[in-house]
Amino acid sequence: MSHDPSRPPRSRPRPSHGGRPKGPPGRTGSPKGVGKARPPRTPFNPDPARYAAVRLIAHILDERWTLEEAMRKEQAFVGLDGRDRGFAAHLALATLRALGMIDAVLASKLERPLPDSAHFARALLRVGAAQLIEGLAPPHAAVGRSVDLAKFDPASRGFAGLVNAILRRIATEPIERPADRLRVPVLWWNRWRAAYGEDAADGIAASLARQPALDLSVKADAEHLAASLDAEVLPTGSLRLKETPGDVTSLPHWADGVFWVQDAAAALPARLLGVRPGQRVLDMCAAPGGKTMQLAATGADVTAMDVDAARIRRVADNLARTSLTARLHVADARTLAETSDRQGDYDAILLDAPCSATGTLRRNPESLWIKTPADVARFASLQRDLMTAAIAALKPGGRLVYAVCSLEPEEADPAVAQGLAAGLRLVPIEPHEVPSLEHAITAQGCVRLLPAYWADRGGMDGFFIARFEKPMLVS
Ligand SMILES: C[S@@+](CC[C@H](N)C(=O)[O-])C[C@H]1O[C@@H](n2cnc3c(N)ncnc32)[C@H](O)[C@@H]1O
């Protein structure tokens, strides 16, 4: 999934309401009609931010929620404000980015695994260990606050001694720091090694050790904006902020609508489509609209389609903020194959397909722990149907860009094969179109971006991009 360009990055999530499970233990209401009896005391939460982080981790790893979902639904997190909220999000993200390493260290200290039912205690150990291994808090605070929270949560009270002993050992005994490759589940690492080799697989895993940079796409005049935003202009034209702000809406010129948040890699597919003013362009899977805005900014006649009505509203909001226009259409793009006329309707189509999104592991590190290869197969099947629809809707002579933020060849290779089998021609991406990323061009002329690229500059999301042309009809 692409980052919503209208929203702040994860360090400062926006509050929202609803959801389960229940918040802190204990009674919060005042009993009615009980004479002069004192209202029962609400147990004192010794550390609301760490408590919220632990609950986020328990939801994600035990209930397979995404981080975004957990942050939206978990009341202990939703109720935090300001710095506490930022700290809780930071702790949860840091725990997920180092999870495999943390679990390896915990396994070496625990005599036996915790029972399956010990959700809070297990999450508490993971968040506590993350603070120690990643140096996120002084050891006395990491250990002491974790023990306090173990005593605070009724379900984990019986584990308080164990939490104390294990975290103390991690804090005081010399530990061999696990290799970065353990940051990701071995299942995914093995797949990347098979696809790209051992060094590349290690590079992908190591990308989790760094906070992803925040990139912006601009409507015009990148140089001028770079100066006022304290940003670097990347070789591909995106802006990369030197400091990641807590709240992107506080950046100068945000209200002017002249830029939006979009990773440098995510900005390439729309650019490589190379549309011209007046062309009929379809953005098939458009929400939240980062690429729609790029296409609309060229002066093309853009239709943005998405199956999800709520997400299309975000495209509308993003277009409104940036004063750009596109026709919006809520529909399953697979139906295009039935409705397009024989000649095809569009001069250019961008198929930024729904995918396993393993390329965005730096921003969504939980996805590696809650997704499986079965998800890859499911997305590959959906992409096949979307490709069929895109090919039908493309005019002869028109161009199609297929893109996915997935690292899995099972999602990219079949799409390329399908395009070729349908009679499309691959239009090789030229080195000058991807400056400083020439090495990412494959033998077929597609682009395969890995998260370890530009590591010294702050990395990038993983993407695969293929560009096709539909042959003119022969009469
Ligand atoms: C990778 S995201 C697109 C990101 C977007 N292009 C951007 O740059 O902001 C994939 C999108 O595909 C949409 N989608 C999934 N299945 C679809 C379908 N059958 N037809 C149309 N859209 C679909 C999802 O709702 C999601 O918004």
Side-chain angles (χ1 to χ4, degrees):
M1 276 297 141
S2 299
H3 179 83
D4 181 345
S6 69
R7 297 190 176 206
R10 277 214 170 130
S11 55
R12 286 283 171 85
R14 287 147 65 116
S16 156
H17 294 278
R20 66 189 176 103
K22 295 266 178 288
R27 297 148 296 182
T28 50
S30 316
K32 287 180 185 157
V34 192
K36 287 188 175 171
R38 278 201 188 166
R41 278 189 304 153
T42 302
F44 173 71
N45 184 334
D47 196 324
R50 283 185 171 85
Y51 177 78
V54 173
R55 291 192 54 97
L56 294 179
I57 291 299
H59 286 306
I60 292 163
L61 298 175
D62 294 338
E63 297 171 61
R64 302 171 87 82
W65 290 12
T66 64
L67 180 60
E68 185 275 328
E69 185 183 11
M71 285 174 165
R72 197 161 28 85
K73 293 182 178 174
E74 170 52 58
Q75 291 303 302
F77 181 78
V78 171
L80 295 176
D81 49 27
R83 289 173 53 150
D84 275 354
R85 174 177 274 251
F87 184 55
H90 180 62
L91 278 185
L93 256 176
T95 304
L96 295 167
R97 288 206 183 110
L99 188 63
M101 297 164 67
I102 290 166
D103 282 356
V105 171
L106 287 173
S108 73
K109 305 287 178 201
L110 283 164
E111 277 172 23
R112 68 184 81 87
L114 264 58
D116 281 350
S117 58
H119 302 292
F120 189 83
R122 186 167 38 250
L124 191 53
L125 276 174
R126 283 168 157 163
V127 175
Q131 293 167 62
L132 296 168
I133 296 169
E134 298 289 76
L136 306 175
H140 68 271
V143 178
R145 292 305 179 84
S146 300
V147 175
D148 292 345
L149 286 174
K151 292 176 184 161
F152 170 69
D153 186 90
S156 67
R157 225 163 262 161
F159 294 100
L162 179 83
V163 168
N164 184 34
I166 297 294
L167 293 183
R168 250 177 219 291
R169 284 185 62 194
I170 296 174
T172 54
E173 292 174 4
I175 51 165
E176 197 174 323
R177 192 182 163 80
D180 271 333
R181 73 169 56 160
L182 284 187
R183 286 179 185 276
V184 298
V186 68
L187 143 82
W188 294 107
W189 186 88
N190 280 337
R191 292 168 63 90
W192 301 331
R193 181 182 56 175
Y196 311 117
E198 186 159 336
D199 288 349
D202 278 345
I204 296 169
S207 73
L208 282 174
R210 295 175 294 274
Q211 175 85 14
L214 189 71
D215 299 338
L216 308 175
S217 285
V218 299
K219 266 165 86 175
D221 201 0
E223 295 288 347
H224 175 72
L225 260 181
S228 52
L229 293 172
D230 194 20
E232 173 194 5
V233 184
L234 294 170
T236 49
S238 294
L239 295 192
R240 178 155 289 183
L241 296 178
K242 292 182 184 151
E243 295 284 333
T244 301
D247 178 359
V248 75
T249 65
S250 66
L251 286 172
H253 303 299
W254 172 261
D256 303 336
V258 289
F259 63 80
W260 53 95
V261 174
Q262 186 174 41
D263 187 83
L268 287 175
R271 246 183 240 148
L272 292 171
L273 190 56
V275 301
R276 293 189 300 279
Q279 282 190 318
R280 285 201 72 198
V281 178
L282 174 64
D283 187 357
M284 261 176 96
C285 298
K291 299 177 188 72
T292 306
M293 287 184 278
Q294 286 179 282
L295 296 169
T298 65
D301 173 5
V302 180
T303 298
M305 179 178 286
D306 203 283
V307 73
D308 186 328
R311 285 172 65 80
I312 272 283
R313 280 197 290 280
R314 283 157 68 179
V315 182
D317 290 346
N318 283 321
L319 288 167
R321 187 183 69 80
T322 52
S323 307
L324 292 166
T325 49
R327 300 163 209 269
L328 303 184
H329 199 18
V330 179
D332 185 332
R334 289 174 290 187
T335 60
L336 276 171
E338 294 139 34
T339 56
S340 297
D341 74 20
R342 200 178 58 82
Q343 301 290 315
D345 298 328
Y346 293 96
D347 300 305
I349 296 180
L350 176 61
L351 172 52
D352 185 28
C355 68
S356 63
T358 49
T360 64
L361 77 168
R362 299 173 312 151
R363 300 176 205 283
N364 310 292
E366 79 282 9
S367 65
L368 299 176
W369 300 95
I370 63 180
K371 280 184 183 154
T372 70
D375 294 305
V376 176
R378 186 167 53 81
F379 281 117
S381 160
L382 172 57
Q383 288 165 24
R384 189 166 50 246
D385 294 344
L386 290 166
M387 271 294 283
T388 302
I391 293 165
L394 193 61
K395 274 186 189 166
R399 280 189 170 190
L400 163 67
V401 161
Y402 160 92
V404 277
C405 58
S406 158
L407 299 172
E408 315 312 310
E410 293 93 323
E411 288 171 87
D413 294 349
V416 172
Q418 183 184 354
L420 295 174
L424 303 193
R425 179 179 80 81
L426 271 173
V427 182
I429 293 159
E430 303 287 341
H432 70 85
E433 296 179 281
V434 285
S436 292
L437 292 168
E438 297 83 358
H439 58 286
I441 299 177
T442 68
Q444 282 183 301
C446 304
V447 161
R448 162 65 72 195
L449 300 168
L450 299 179
Y453 292 172
W454 285 357
D456 51 343
R457 282 194 157 114
M460 62 174 58
D461 286 346
F463 253 91
F464 176 82
I465 308 163
R467 182 171 61 192
F468 301 94
E469 190 175 81
K470 192 172 189 175
M472 300 300 289
L473 290 178
V474 184
S475 55

